Structure formats: structure tokens, C-alpha cells
Amino acid sequence: MFGGDDRHLVRHCAGASCTRLFLDRSRAGNRRWCDKLSCGSRANASAYRRRKSASLPSGAVPPSPHDA
């Protein structure tokens, strides 16, 4: 992996607690996570929660999913 022709495709996962390496074979060459279902999904969910909490007025409590 490190000495072959694909060595320039080796990337570190952008997941906060992930230490995996992966080969970025995406068309644009900008893949960030080793696996979209684990690290990518956690990162996307975390960013969504941050955006939602930032858009609430000060002191407001977000609605519970069970309030529907």
C-alpha cells in the first residue's frame, strides 16, 4: 500500500476517534472518511445537531422526536 503505485491515494480518516487509513479512489479525490456508514454518518449527524442547536433561540429546548 505504501510503496506501490497507489501510495498517493492513502488518506487518514477524518473521524475524530478513528485511526484507520484508506485508499481514496473517489473521482474527485476528496473522500474524508474510511467508511460512510460509520465515521461519515457520525460526523454528519454531529454537524446536523450543531446546526440545529445553533439555530434555536437562547434558552429554547429542542422538540423531542416523541412530541409529533
Side-chain angles (χ1 to χ4, degrees):
M1 181 196 266
F2 297 109
D5 293 338
D6 293 335
R7 67 184 174 275
H8 64 282
L9 300 176
V10 176
R11 307 272 191 271
H12 275 275
C13 180
S17 62
C18 186
T19 59
R20 289 190 252 178
L21 298 174
F22 64 94
L23 289 178
D24 181 4
R25 295 187 184 274
S26 64
R27 183 180 294 188
N30 60 356
R31 190 170 137 200
R32 297 179 55 198
W33 300 289
C34 60
D35 182 31
K36 178 67 174 172
L37 295 177
S38 60
C39 293
S41 182
R42 274 190 292 261
N44 289 338
S46 177
Y48 175 80
R49 285 190 301 271
R50 266 193 314 276
R51 286 192 309 272
K52 282 299 188 184
S53 67
S55 68
L56 291 174
S58 178
V61 177
S64 169
H66 303 288
D67 291 342

